[in-house]
Amino acid sequence: MGRPDESRVQSRRTFLAGVGAGALALTLPGCGLPRREPVKRPNILFIMSDDHAQAAMGCYGSRINETPHLDRLAAGGAKFTQAYCTNAICGPSRASMLTGKYSHANGVLVNETPFDGSQPTFPRLLRQAGYQTAVIGKWHLSSRPSGFDHWCVLPGQGQYYNPDFDRMGERVRIDGYVTDIITDESLSWLEDRDREKPFCLLLHHKAPHRNWMPGPEHLNDFEDDQIPLPPNFHDDYATRSDAARSQKQSISKDLLDSYDLKLPMPPAAEGDGRRDEREMWSRSIDRMTPEQRAAWDAAYGPRNERFAAEPPEGRALEEWKYQRYIKDYLRCIASVDDSVGRVLDYLDREGLAEDTIVVYTSDQGFFLGEHGWFDKRFMYRESHGIPLIVRYPREVPAGVDVRHMALNVDFSPTFLDYADVRPPEGTQGESLRPVLDGAAPESWRRSVYYHYFEYPGSHGVCRHYGVRTSRYLLVHFYYDIDAWELYDLRADPAEMVNLYDDPAHAGIVTDLKAELARLREKYGDEDETMHLPKSVVPREHAAVGCPVVLAHAPHPKYTAGGSNALTDGRCGPDSTLLADYTAWQGFEEVDLDAVVDLGRPTAIGRLSIGCLQNTNSWIFLPTSVRFAVSDDGKEFREFGVVANEVSPRRAGFFRHEFALSPEEPVRARYVRVRAENLRACPDGHKGAGGKAWVFADEIVVE
Ligand code: SGN
Ligand code: CA
């Protein structure tokens, strides 16, 4: 497609209008000479928050809050009006930023996947080139940070109050509020740095991620305000595909009363269905010191009493939920804004502002009630778009809006470009430097590609990929759905009217599909079947169909669909992109103790059981597996024991088979397998001390 959109890209002349002649003199685009006077390599301060939508930032025209310090940063640099992520979910977005590659190319398609830190990343390359590098705050890549001189990161999602950190491999609890702590840790690292070297600091906030717990200083912000509802809060999805109807991120239905909405948690009652929520809520609120708790209760207590005195219903309840949600979200952002102010003050005080590239962004956007939703994942503008501010007084004109399309995969090549380091082979992003210093090439991208994979998964957002131009958005939902959507962003910036089936748009659809195919080929992501979850692997063996008697029943949520699921000839895959448990039976805290009746005496040459470890969850391999056999189902003789030599700390989601083969086949009718539960999650795990699970897919008799 020649012209995918009526270009809103600023012409070079307009762009340069705000730039002094001095900057122009240093800019010789397109010629082989060095473009700039050699200046000393800039410091890099890469500030990222988690889930910060453009719509909650003053400089992006927020109608709902003020962010004076972020606005100050924007006023001193460039603000991208069309910046996007490539897969709107945390771990994948971070992996794309570090590597400059799309998810399918860096291996992190979903949050569960550990990041392979041996890949070239910009921090590692900068470090090799003489930078001091550090990451402080959220990491969320299920692997140890590598390529950093210093790291101090939250395990997993981390906690808001008195969080634990992994500081250079050591677990420390730091008292205080997470956003403030990350700022303090960053400033102290800057203070202690080697001043002979340039630095690259990744200051990555947890806030304003779910469950939106505000800091002590902002507990009462917005108290007397009514935050306006987005006009499409009550979207009925009339013209959309089923993807919009089947999601589980609706403010009215999917927010949890206590964990999300901060209503009091009633005492546990059998069958109340709130066990998981109770655990999550207690893990966050019970960490508070008595003083923190008192301030919290002073803020939420009276609000919750008013709610209980006159509980709203119907639409009023939906809108009450929106108010509670959005205010807490914005309160979290207020602390992020304070943090930015403190860090900018530090740079000013230390005389570092001129020589430091400061970037502010978020791992993806967020729904703030648009379409009735929270969370992200969809390629719609609220979650696809990211805030992106770049301030670098030596090269970037102050106060400009850049309308060129930017992507999170551009960050790595951009930082490397400013540091004069060659980007690694296979980099898919582009350096933003030419669009930042005014030498915008005519050939800058006019469309962006996106691919979201985490389905089945939390929030039930279907797998999809698509292309966005300044004018149009085309999305394809696939896997257990096959649906397309097209939006005309000029007529319909809120993406409400799906025009895919409109005959008047048939030509546009054809052009956009061609553009989408071009991008998929360019990035090497043509085959969507490559990444589909494989939940079941068939396996032939002697016990298929044989009845199983269990000493302890599996948890009702993880029965894998039946009483003899352990002999149904279906195994889980060796690894999976997602925590797909359809082939697994899960035993909480108890051992798996199973007797299989083979029906008649059978020659057994090998006995095995497949078990799962998923360290992103509470599932560990058994500490040992004991096999025994019997002729009558009463008297068992030992067949053998297999000890587990896999560390309960080994990251990832993988299947491990415990197997035994005697020298000579053994004849028996009954087989007993006992897989010993680790009982409690090990130290260092996010569920440390909590109940461990054994997951098994099949008892294989061969
Ligand atoms: C948690 C949240 C989800 C959120 C994911 C991913 N649920 O699972 O709401 O979408 O993280 O977020 S919670 O009940 O545990 O809070 S991400 O930023 O890590 O991608
Ligand atoms: Ca996020």
Side-chain angles (χ1 to χ4, degrees):
M1 182 173 52
R3 250 174 205 284
D5 58 319
E6 314 301 283
S7 172
R8 282 187 5 222
V9 174
Q10 275 173 307
S11 75
R12 232 187 106 211
R13 191 170 305 132
T14 342
F15 187 86
L16 289 171
V19 188
L24 256 183
L26 299 177
T27 309
L28 300 170
C31 92
L33 296 172
R35 292 192 297 184
R36 302 164 185 88
E37 306 282 10
V39 285
K40 71 178 191 201
R41 291 181 301 171
N43 301 308
I44 295 167
L45 175 56
F46 177 18
I47 310 174
M48 180 156 74
S49 52
D50 193 314
D51 297 352
H52 192 174
Q54 286 179 4
M57 236 161 121
C59 52
Y60 276 95
S62 170
R63 305 183 308 140
I64 57 178
N65 68 333
E66 286 169 7
T67 49
H69 300 295
L70 285 163
D71 300 356
R72 162 180 161 206
L73 181 68
K79 179 183 91 209
F80 282 80
T81 59
Q82 297 195 82
Y84 299 97
C85 61
T86 45
N87 178 3
I89 179 110
C90 184
S93 179
R94 284 159 209 269
S96 286
M97 291 179 183
L98 289 168
T99 58
K101 294 180 183 172
Y102 272 84
S103 305
H104 64 275
N106 67 44
V108 183
L109 292 95
V110 300
N111 270 339
E112 294 283 331
T113 318
F115 176 64
D116 169 6
S118 68
Q119 305 183 62
T121 60
F122 76 83
R124 163 168 298 126
L125 294 167
L126 290 177
R127 186 173 185 223
Q128 284 164 0
Y131 273 72
Q132 282 168 92
T133 58
V135 56
I136 296 173
K138 189 164 175 184
W139 172 251
H140 201 217
L141 283 165
S142 305
S143 63
R144 268 195 176 195
S146 61
F148 296 94
D149 294 300
H150 177 80
W151 46 276
C152 179
V153 297
L154 295 162
Q157 298 280 10
Q159 292 289 347
Y160 273 107
Y161 278 85
N162 312 324
D164 285 340
F165 282 86
D166 274 333
R167 195 197 265 143
M168 305 294 286
E170 196 197 331
R171 183 61 57 102
V172 289
R173 170 180 154 130
I174 307 183
D175 280 346
Y177 182 64
V178 70
T179 306
D180 304 335
I181 298 168
I182 291 169
T183 315
D184 295 341
E185 289 285 314
S186 297
L187 293 178
S188 83
W189 182 78
L190 285 172
E191 196 52 28
D192 295 344
R193 76 191 194 279
D194 172 355
R195 283 154 207 262
E196 298 303 306
K197 291 180 174 176
F199 67 80
C200 169
L201 170 60
L202 279 52
L203 191 171
H204 287 184
H205 286 297
K206 165 191 172 62
H209 191 273
R210 191 180 183 184
N211 64 336
W212 318 294
M213 291 175 76
E217 263 127 65
H218 294 285
L219 285 167
N220 296 303
D221 292 9
F222 306 100
E223 184 49 13
D224 301 322
D225 302 344
Q226 272 291 111
I227 313 284
L229 278 175
N232 56 1
F233 182 74
H234 294 291
D235 191 353
D236 62 3
Y237 316 130
T239 65
R240 272 166 217 282
S241 70
D242 284 341
R245 282 176 278 274
S246 58
Q247 50 63 41
K248 299 254 174 316
Q249 51 191 45
S250 116
I251 289 180
S252 61
K253 297 192 205 82
D254 300 312
L255 288 174
L256 302 171
D257 283 353
S258 302
Y259 176 71
D260 291 321
L261 296 168
K262 326 301 189 306
L263 289 169
M265 173 60 89
E270 204 42 50
D272 67 0
R274 297 186 68 181
R275 195 180 73 150
D276 292 353
E277 182 195 359
R278 185 169 285 112
E279 274 181 24
M280 290 195 299
W281 181 226
S282 134
R283 270 202 299 281
S284 30
I285 192 100
D286 293 345
R287 300 184 71 85
M288 287 187 182
T289 62
E291 300 73 44
Q292 290 166 342
R293 186 62 198 253
W296 182 273
D297 289 341
Y300 289 92
R303 293 171 200 164
N304 289 346
E305 279 162 27
R306 284 199 296 278
F307 176 87
E310 231 180 303
E313 282 171 28
R315 280 213 167 183
L317 177 59
E318 290 178 19
E319 294 177 12
W320 178 88
K321 288 184 180 184
Y322 169 76
Q323 292 298 330
R324 184 54 68 94
Y325 156 65
I326 196 72
K327 286 182 184 179
D328 283 345
Y329 176 87
L330 296 176
R331 289 165 180 147
C332 291
I333 287 174
S335 292
V336 171
D337 193 60
D338 293 344
S339 163
V340 170
R342 287 179 62 198
V343 174
L344 295 184
D345 286 347
Y346 178 85
L347 297 181
D348 287 345
R349 229 173 23 244
E350 295 290 309
L352 290 166
E354 279 291 300
D355 291 315
T356 302
I357 298 172
V358 183
V359 166
Y360 182 83
T361 190
S362 172
D363 56 349
Q364 72 287 141
F366 214 63
F367 292 102
L368 305 181
E370 299 89 352
H371 312 291
W373 297 337
F374 65 97
D375 218 68
K376 50 253 182 178
R377 301 159 190 273
F378 279 108
M379 197 190 173
Y380 304 134
R381 64 171 194 172
E382 293 81 4
S383 69
H384 189 205
I386 52 175
L388 178 56
I389 299 171
V390 182
R391 187 185 84 173
Y392 180 32
R394 285 213 189 278
E395 279 196 27
V396 178
V400 291
D401 276 359
V402 180
R403 299 206 186 99
H404 300 79
M405 299 183 107
L407 289 170
N408 60 0
V409 288
D410 297 337
F411 297 175
S412 167
T414 303
F415 294 138
L416 293 172
D417 188 357
Y418 280 113
D420 263 324
V421 176
R422 188 197 291 269
E425 188 111 349
T427 299
Q428 294 178 321
E430 308 280 341
S431 169
L432 296 170
R433 195 175 186 179
V435 304
L436 280 164
D437 71 3
E442 288 301 318
S443 59
W444 194 254
R445 70 164 77 88
R446 298 195 173 196
S447 63
V448 292
Y449 176 62
Y450 178 90
H451 195 162
Y452 171 80
F453 301 87
E454 196 173 288
Y455 178 89
S458 98
H459 297 297
V461 173
C462 295
R463 288 170 178 249
H464 60 287
Y465 54 83
V467 59
R468 178 187 288 274
T469 67
S470 293
R471 176 73 192 268
Y472 295 106
L473 170 66
L474 178 78
V475 190
H476 182 212
F477 295 96
Y478 70 97
Y479 180 49
D480 54 359
I481 177 175
D482 179 11
W484 290 83
E485 295 180 2
L486 170 73
Y487 299 93
D488 177 346
L489 310 175
R490 186 184 290 165
D492 174 28
E495 301 162 352
M496 293 294 289
V497 185
N498 174 15
L499 297 168
Y500 183 75
D501 290 322
D502 172 20
H505 285 82
I508 301 288
V509 166
T510 308
D511 287 353
L512 286 165
K513 281 191 174 171
E515 177 63 0
L516 181 58
R518 182 185 74 80
L519 292 173
R520 301 188 81 204
E521 193 190 333
K522 169 176 169 179
Y523 296 123
D525 191 27
E526 300 102 307
D527 182 4
E528 67 205 33
T529 62
M530 250 173 74
H531 307 294
L532 295 181
K534 294 173 195 65
S535 48
V536 168
V537 179
R539 176 111 167 229
E540 275 295 323
H541 60 92
V544 172
C546 295
V548 181
V549 176
L550 288 167
H552 313 282
H555 189 275
K557 259 167 98 173
Y558 303 105
T559 63
S563 56
N564 52 347
L566 294 175
T567 52
D568 63 359
R570 291 152 41 97
C571 295
D574 287 342
S575 71
T576 176
L577 291 173
L578 295 160
D580 181 332
Y581 298 128
T582 55
W584 303 93
Q585 283 198 341
F587 299 82
E588 189 188 25
E589 214 185 14
V590 293
D591 297 342
L592 175 159
D593 188 347
V595 174
V596 181
D597 180 357
L598 300 170
R600 60 187 129 85
T602 306
I604 303 169
R606 185 175 185 272
L607 274 182
S608 67
I609 183 166
C611 294
L612 181 69
Q613 182 148 314
N614 178 8
T615 41
N616 284 311
S617 185
W618 275 237
I619 302 165
F620 296 89
L621 294 175
T623 49
S624 70
V625 175
R626 297 180 166 274
F627 296 100
V629 294
S630 156
D631 302 319
D632 57 6
K634 294 187 191 92
E635 296 280 314
F636 279 88
R637 50 190 191 277
E638 181 157 296
F639 186 85
V641 183
V642 190
N644 178 21
E645 272 153 22
V646 180
S647 163
R649 287 182 182 75
R650 186 176 138 193
F653 185 113
F654 59 91
R655 178 182 195 269
H656 180 83
E657 198 159 285
F658 292 82
L660 261 189
S661 311
E663 303 261 308
E664 293 288 320
V666 170
R667 274 190 96 74
R669 173 169 164 181
Y670 295 89
V671 171
R672 181 170 183 193
V673 183
R674 279 176 294 166
E676 191 191 353
N677 194 311
L678 182 65
R679 297 269 191 287
C681 302
D683 284 351
H685 186 271
K686 60 187 167 185
K691 297 173 183 174
W693 296 67
V694 164
F695 267 58
D697 59 357
E698 192 77 355
I699 294 170
V700 179
V701 179
E702 287 159 321

